Amino acid sequence: MHEVNEDSIKLREEVFAYARRRLEYDPAPLDGPQSPEWLQKNAGKTISESGIGGSKALEIFSEVLAPSTISTDHPNYLSFIPSAPTEASKLFDLIVSASAIYGGSWMEGAGAVFAENEVLSWLADEAGLPKGAGGVFVQGGTLGNLSALVAARHSASQKLISAGKPLPTKWKFICSAEAHSSLKSAAAVMDVEIIKAPVDETGHLRGSSVSNALQRAGEGVFAIVATAGTTNFGIVDKIDEIADVAKENQIWFHVDGAYGLAGILSPETKPIFTGIEKADSFIVDPHKWLFAPFDACALIYRSPELARAAHTQHGEYLETLTESGDWNPSDYAYNLTRRPRGLPLWFSLATHGVAAYREGVRKNIELAKQIAEIIRGKSDLELVREPELSVVVFTKKGWTLNDYDSWSAKLLARGEAFVVPSSHQGEPNARFAIVNPRTELSSLKAILESMDEES
Ligand SMILES: Cc1ncc(COP(=O)(O)O)c(C=O)c1O
């Protein structure tokens, strides 16, 4: 299995040929899911004592399994948060896979860790964090938020312990009522209370709401979380106001920018992120809007040593690493073994330069504005909220969830677009999440027009 021989070389060429075909699609077919029964019938039993051979396994993947997955990089994939990795980042992901690099420690992965840290420093700089800020690329925003909150609670408890004060009976953190579900999940994992502060009429969490929540919460609040780009609407909380409340009360300030913080790269939208420079930690997911492949979340701390104190794993076999004083990425999140998943972004950034990223993000925001304007001009469509970044949410008069569902299913079945319905305050709606610089206004218009077929 590990030998380089005639068979492995033949298989290598077949795999490269497949990868080349997939990379050359322009765009890749949208494709779509199949039922377990269909997959069972068409893929058959692939795991056996003797193996089916690489060529056969690749054939099943390319003809049955791959077409049963939606291409998240299709320009008309507009649901959830899509992905739009650059060609350079996808190509480099192949190299990462071929290189067997351990990204958890400096000792084993110094070169890779150095390059990942370059990217993290750049992101910290863009956000205005001081020199010395740093962190790690984790699997996704869910793990990034959890790891930041674990560091925040550890830091709060250490402060109380060193002051000889008792620990609270229940730890708590405050976030927006519209914050991402991963925060609720983090609260459950950490066994802490999540306090959801109400947003204003435009969907923003404001400092006053956080202050009220803080007063009502009593003791034990270890973190305040602002969202820089809510998932459903792309709304950026009033970061500056919230940061001030956190600072006045000496509480850790975390910013969940998993999707939206990439918007800081566009000079037009940068001002709405004011206050991010006061964050104790923040996350932004390159697999969302920084044009990198799955899966990568940049988790950055103002004072990484606080995260290190919370997260370093100790064990006899690890002492050689933990005692070294080196920068070990594993120390900054709830993880140990890790792929150097920041490298595809590093390569693409190094290749194209930051300006190309600013332009990609700016273009998406501009497109969101253009399609919002068109929606505004149609009497049967209504924007649910004004788009702030690149998410546009709207309703069609008289439509029920069934109408949205059947429209969405038809678009996917025709291979035209992937636009699943969302909802707000119990009302179904349609939602475009635009993160792909190759998404075109003409396609978005055609998708809007396809709604008329349903009526
Ligand atoms: C604002 C926000 N935070 C956190 C997450 C979770 O990120 P992930 O899916 O990478 O775990 C998401 C995902 O969409 C998000 O939009």
Side-chain angles (χ1 to χ4, degrees), residues 81 139-143 145 180 182 227 229-231 256-259 283 285 287-288:
I81 305 288
Q139 169 261 327
T142 299
L143 193 55
N145 281 333
H180 188 259
S182 55
T227 304
T230 57
T231 322
D256 175 2
Y259 148 64
I283 62 162
D285 287 1
H287 64 215
K288 291 190 169 68

Side-chain angles (χ1 to χ4, degrees), residues 355-431:
Y357 279 72
R358 295 193 199 288
E359 178 53 16
V361 168
R362 193 203 60 76
K363 220 174 135 190
N364 289 149
I365 295 170
E366 179 61 29
L367 183 58
K369 275 198 195 126
Q370 288 171 334
I371 197 67
E373 189 56 40
I374 289 168
I375 290 168
R376 226 177 268 117
K378 286 187 180 278
S379 56
D380 57 336
L381 300 181
E382 195 176 356
L383 284 175
V384 179
R385 277 179 180 159
E386 283 304 314
E388 207 158 286
L389 295 173
S390 68
V391 177
V392 184
V393 184
F394 57 99
T395 53
K396 183 163 168 78
K397 277 193 191 135
W399 269 29
T400 63
L401 183 57
N402 276 345
D403 296 308
Y404 290 103
D405 277 338
S406 66
W407 165 70
S408 168
K410 216 177 277 173
L411 284 174
L412 182 62
R414 299 201 299 230
E416 287 172 12
F418 184 53
V419 195
V420 294
S422 182
S423 71
H424 180 57
Q425 296 175 343
E427 288 297 313
N429 58 46
R431 174 176 168 277

